């Protein structure tokens, strides 16, 4: 079992403050939840080419980012099914064990132990000099993101408050630039913008060198206005980052008041395995075969 610092906060009742956020931002009330869950169950029966569990937990995962509109949640399910079909070679039957070495021996994907000052999970992606594309391919990097996201969907607090991503490009060189192909860029952005049932609130680029412009040129054509408005560039100016993420909730690595990061994806790996039944179930969702 994972330690208390590295665990998926499943089956946790929303805090009073989070309930207020859910009602204000997501239209979430007990009556609306009941009605939306029942209606989405009916829609799934009518759309029998799709297969998703119809238990409350799974339906809520799709209804919250769609503000409890059942038709929108069904559309999200269909987009996820299309994405899984189009990327079957990468995602079919994917479990943490398949990327165990990348989690345990490499340090590209990490999740902060605590949440930020707004109660959001923070994913730190190190795609600069830390990343050796010869040892971990861009496809594997995407699979790491995907597995982390599937597990995080179990957290009610994260469903409501959303998540933040810090993309750290420190010491990025041409090896990393070459690894980020147009196909990788398009796949990642299609997933984020069309098929991810998690509320992505902000994306922060830090420590990006000049060669980052080559990467940005690949990503930019695929970024829609909604996501574009949530992307922020900081370079090495952590004071700029602090306008969005309070230093009191950031590690020293990013000019914060918390201790420097001394943990990695290896510490989170047991938490992913704790969620293995959910991950296995998730692998069955999509178009009926």
């Amino acid at each position: 079992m994972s330690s208390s610092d590295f665990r998926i906060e499943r089956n946790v009742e929303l805090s009073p403050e989070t309930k207020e956020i859910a009602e204000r931002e997501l239209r979430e009330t007990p009556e609306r939840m009941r009605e939306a869950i029942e209606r989405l169950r009916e829609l799934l029966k009518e759309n029998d080419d799709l297969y998703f569990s119809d238990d409350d937990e799974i339906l809520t995962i799709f209804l919250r980012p769609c503000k409890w509109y059942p038709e929108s949640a069904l559309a999200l399910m269909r987009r996820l099914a299309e994405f899984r079909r189009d990327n079957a070679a990468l995602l079919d039957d994917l479990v943490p064990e398949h990327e165990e070495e990348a989690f345990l021996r490499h340090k590209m994907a990490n999740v902060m132990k605590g949440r930020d000052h707004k109660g959001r999970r923070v994913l730190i992606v190190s795609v600069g000099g830390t990343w050796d594309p010869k040892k971990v391919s861009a496809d594997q990097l995407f699979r790491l993101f995907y597995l982390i996201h599937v597990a995080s969907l179990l957290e009610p607090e994260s469903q409501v408050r959303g998540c933040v991503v810090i993309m750290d490009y420190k010491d990025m060189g041409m090896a990393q630039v070459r690894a980020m192909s147009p196909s990788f860029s398009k796949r990642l952005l299609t997933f984020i913008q069309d098929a991810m049932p998690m509320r992505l609130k902000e994306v922060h680029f830090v420590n990006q060198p000049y060669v980052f412009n080559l990467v940005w040129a690949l990503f930019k054509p695929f970024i829609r206005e909604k996501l574009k408005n949530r992307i922020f560039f900081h370079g090495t100016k952590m004071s700029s980052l602090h306008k969005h993420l309070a230093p009191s909730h950031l590690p020293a690595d990013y000019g914060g008041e918390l201790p420097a990061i001394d943990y990695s994806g290896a510490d989170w790996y047991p938490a992913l395995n704790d969620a293995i039944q959910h991950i296995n179930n998730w692998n069955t969702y999509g178009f009926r075969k």
Side-chain angles (χ1 to χ4, degrees), residues 42-53:
E42 294 173 358
L43 290 171
L44 277 175
K45 290 178 182 177
E46 295 169 8
N47 289 262
D48 57 6
D49 61 327
L50 293 176
Y51 171 72
F52 287 85
S53 169

Side-chain angles (χ1 to χ4, degrees), residues 83-145:
F83 184 85
R84 287 184 48 78
R85 177 198 62 201
D86 296 344
N87 295 276
L90 281 182
L91 301 179
D92 273 4
D93 301 318
L94 176 63
V95 293
E97 182 183 3
H98 295 159
E99 295 299 341
E100 182 176 6
E101 183 173 347
F103 275 115
L104 297 184
R105 300 187 182 280
H106 303 279
K107 297 182 178 181
M108 290 89 62
N110 199 359
V111 178
M112 274 178 40
K113 286 194 293 188
R115 296 172 180 269
D116 75 355
H117 66 296
K118 293 184 178 180
R120 305 171 298 191
R121 283 290 192 191
V122 180
L123 172 65
I124 300 173
V125 183
S126 300
V127 282
T130 301
W131 176 30
D132 184 349
K134 292 181 179 179
K135 295 180 179 178
V136 179
S137 69
D139 284 348
Q140 287 180 281
L141 191 61
F142 179 81
R143 282 155 63 97
L144 296 182
F145 298 159

Side-chain angles (χ1 to χ4, degrees), residues 133-174:
K134 292 181 179 179
K135 295 180 179 178
V136 179
S137 69
D139 284 348
Q140 287 180 281
L141 191 61
F142 179 81
R143 282 155 63 97
L144 296 182
F145 298 159
Y146 186 84
L147 285 166
I148 291 170
H149 123 273
V150 171
S152 70
L153 292 173
L154 289 172
E155 299 189 320
E157 288 280 330
S158 298
Q159 292 169 14
V160 173
R161 292 179 179 263
C163 67
V164 174
V165 177
I166 296 176
M167 300 288 294
D168 192 338
Y169 293 92
K170 185 177 182 180
D171 298 326
M172 178 183 226
M174 288 307 299

Side-chain angles (χ1 to χ4, degrees), residues 195-212:
M196 186 175 75
M198 176 61 74
R199 303 183 73 199
L200 178 60
K201 304 300 289 183
E202 298 169 6
V203 181
H204 297 282
F205 293 163
V206 300
N207 296 319
Q208 63 270 32
Y210 181 76
V211 293
F212 167 79

Side-chain angles (χ1 to χ4, degrees), residues 2 39 65 133 160 170 180 201 222:
S2 56
R39 177 56 180 153
V160 173
K170 185 177 182 180
M180 290 189 174
K201 304 300 289 183
F222 305 115

